[in-house]
Amino acid sequence: MKALLCPEPGKLRLIEREAPKVGAGDVLLRVRRVGICGTDYHILGGTQPYLSYPRIMGHELGAEIVAAPAGSGLTAGTTAVVIPYLSCGQCRACQRGLTNCCRRVSVLGVHQDGGMTEYIAVPAQNVIAAPELTLDQAAMVEFLAIGAHGIRRGAVRSDDRVLVVGAGPIGIAATIFACARGAEVTVMDLRQDRLDFAQRELGAAHTVKAGPEAKAKFEAITEGEFFDVVIDATGHPPSMNAGLFYLGHGGRYVLLSIVAADIAFPDPEFHKRETTLIASRNALPDDFAEVMRAIAAGLVPTSVLASHRATMAEGADAIPVWARPETGVIKALLEV
């Protein structure tokens, strides 16, 4: 079968490899769509901190079930969503239902080979039947679930003022689910096209271009009180450090992004707000279920999120281009 391999930073190559070995508790999937994530661009660029090469990328998967274990409730021919975080089931976090925080988690496409391939075998507990979704929609559930999980971690309410910093795919997902809770959402980004998209398509109440004027604009928007919840989705240490200063007193600061760097705040500023600082890692099955319900109900504009696409055979040329900001990608999909 064919697969798209990243042998080292900066290179992608279409290869032939053996079909996957299917364990007793595994589901054999025919991969049909692969969403391209910021993680994939970091892997290609050599800046992903939890990875060794060579690696087959791809963890945002829309697939078709080929074969499933008896008693799994999964049926051949059904569209499926994949939860790409393979948890051990034994550590204390797993035993408490926090499988996203598993001490020995292995993420498809990062810690082990992923879904940029024709077939993949995945444990049955990581496969969700999704007959109500299109293949494109199934491939978008995972990144949307990360945003939904961050909004749940931040306990966003309808009376909250929420600032989402960074309007890439994860920031877009956070915006969608903050708006779905009835919050008043402001989005900040360096790119005007992303800000226009957030207001036009996602329901953001306000948008602010990042820069020296931003804090004064936030002060005006919030009558000097700033935000109840700040969500950082930038993966940019200076932005993550600055986010505290946009947070109102008694507020919650959610770090959706992760970087190989130290994040620091001045303690007096942190304490005077009685800040709640929250990390948000991956997503839980409940988040996947929430996203799938929202898509099925027409609450997520998946047709406009899928802005670019190519076949897997074209991926080696397309993915480096999509990584460039000027390409204007919202979410790119590989068709397998």
Side-chain angles (χ1 to χ4, degrees):
M1 66 175 186
K2 290 181 172 58
L4 190 61
L5 178 73
C6 183
E8 60 185 84
K11 294 185 179 179
L12 289 169
R13 186 168 71 242
L14 195 67
I15 63 166
E16 291 283 343
R17 70 178 326 209
E18 292 183 2
K21 295 179 180 178
V22 183
D26 289 347
V27 178
L28 179 64
L29 298 170
R30 173 72 166 93
V31 179
R32 294 294 188 184
R33 299 287 187 277
V34 183
I36 308 302
C37 174
T39 297
D40 300 317
Y41 296 129
H42 289 308
I43 291 170
L44 182 61
T47 58
Q48 216 292 333
Y50 306 120
L51 186 111
S52 59
Y53 298 87
R55 181 63 67 229
I56 291 172
M57 304 184 297
H59 60 275
E60 299 180 3
L61 307 181
E64 179 185 316
I65 297 170
V66 176
S72 66
L74 300 169
T75 305
T78 305
T79 297
V81 169
V82 175
I83 301 176
Y85 329 120
L86 308 187
S87 53
C88 73
Q90 302 300 317
C91 70
R92 183 166 174 79
C94 284
Q95 291 295 308
R96 299 175 69 195
L98 302 174
T99 51
N100 62 320
C101 299
C102 172
R103 290 186 63 192
R104 292 177 283 275
V105 71
S106 183
V107 179
L108 294 175
V110 180
H111 305 103
Q112 65 183 75
D113 284 345
M116 288 188 190
T117 182
E118 292 180 297
Y119 293 90
I120 191 170
V122 178
Q125 64 265 27
N126 289 79
V127 178
I128 308 171
E132 72 280 13
L133 301 186
T134 68
L135 289 166
D136 281 5
Q137 289 171 336
M140 287 188 262
V141 170
E142 191 271 343
F143 93 86
L144 290 164
I146 290 176
H149 185 70
I151 295 304
R152 182 149 67 101
R153 290 280 290 153
V156 171
R157 304 186 302 260
S158 60
D159 60 346
D160 281 331
R161 288 169 169 160
V162 177
L163 172 65
V164 177
V165 185
I170 301 302
I172 284 171
T175 300
I176 289 169
F177 287 94
C179 288
R181 291 192 177 206
E184 180 185 300
V185 181
T186 299
V187 178
M188 178 170 70
D189 198 271
L190 284 165
R191 288 174 49 181
Q192 189 62 48
D193 61 329
R194 287 281 175 90
L195 296 175
D196 293 342
F197 182 86
Q199 198 154 37
R200 183 179 68 249
E201 304 290 353
L202 307 181
H206 311 281
T207 60
V208 173
K209 195 164 186 178
E213 309 290 325
K215 189 173 181 181
K217 291 179 180 178
F218 296 151
E219 191 168 13
I221 288 168
T222 63
E223 297 88 38
E225 296 289 347
F226 293 95
F227 296 94
D228 305 299
V229 184
V230 174
I231 310 281
D232 183 89
T234 65
H236 182 55
S239 296
M240 296 165 79
N241 289 337
L244 174 68
F245 298 94
Y246 310 140
L247 191 69
H249 285 228
R252 288 100 68 197
Y253 188 20
V254 182
L255 298 180
L256 263 177
S257 49
I258 182 171
V259 291
D262 292 335
I263 305 302
F265 313 114
D267 188 62
E269 294 294 330
F270 185 80
H271 261 82
K272 78 180 185 183
R273 290 166 172 79
E274 198 179 46
T275 305
T276 301
L277 179 63
I278 302 166
S280 183
R281 184 185 187 193
N282 299 332
L284 287 164
D286 285 351
D287 303 307
F288 280 75
E290 178 185 356
V291 169
M292 291 170 67
R293 287 192 300 269
I295 292 175
L299 301 177
V300 181
T302 52
S303 61
V304 295
L305 294 179
S307 61
H308 292 66
R309 66 181 63 231
T311 67
M312 187 171 70
E314 297 165 336
D317 294 325
I319 294 173
V321 174
W322 291 338
R324 301 173 192 160
E326 62 269 22
T327 310
V329 171
I330 302 296
K331 174 57 62 175
L333 299 174
L334 287 184
E335 297 182 349
V336 183

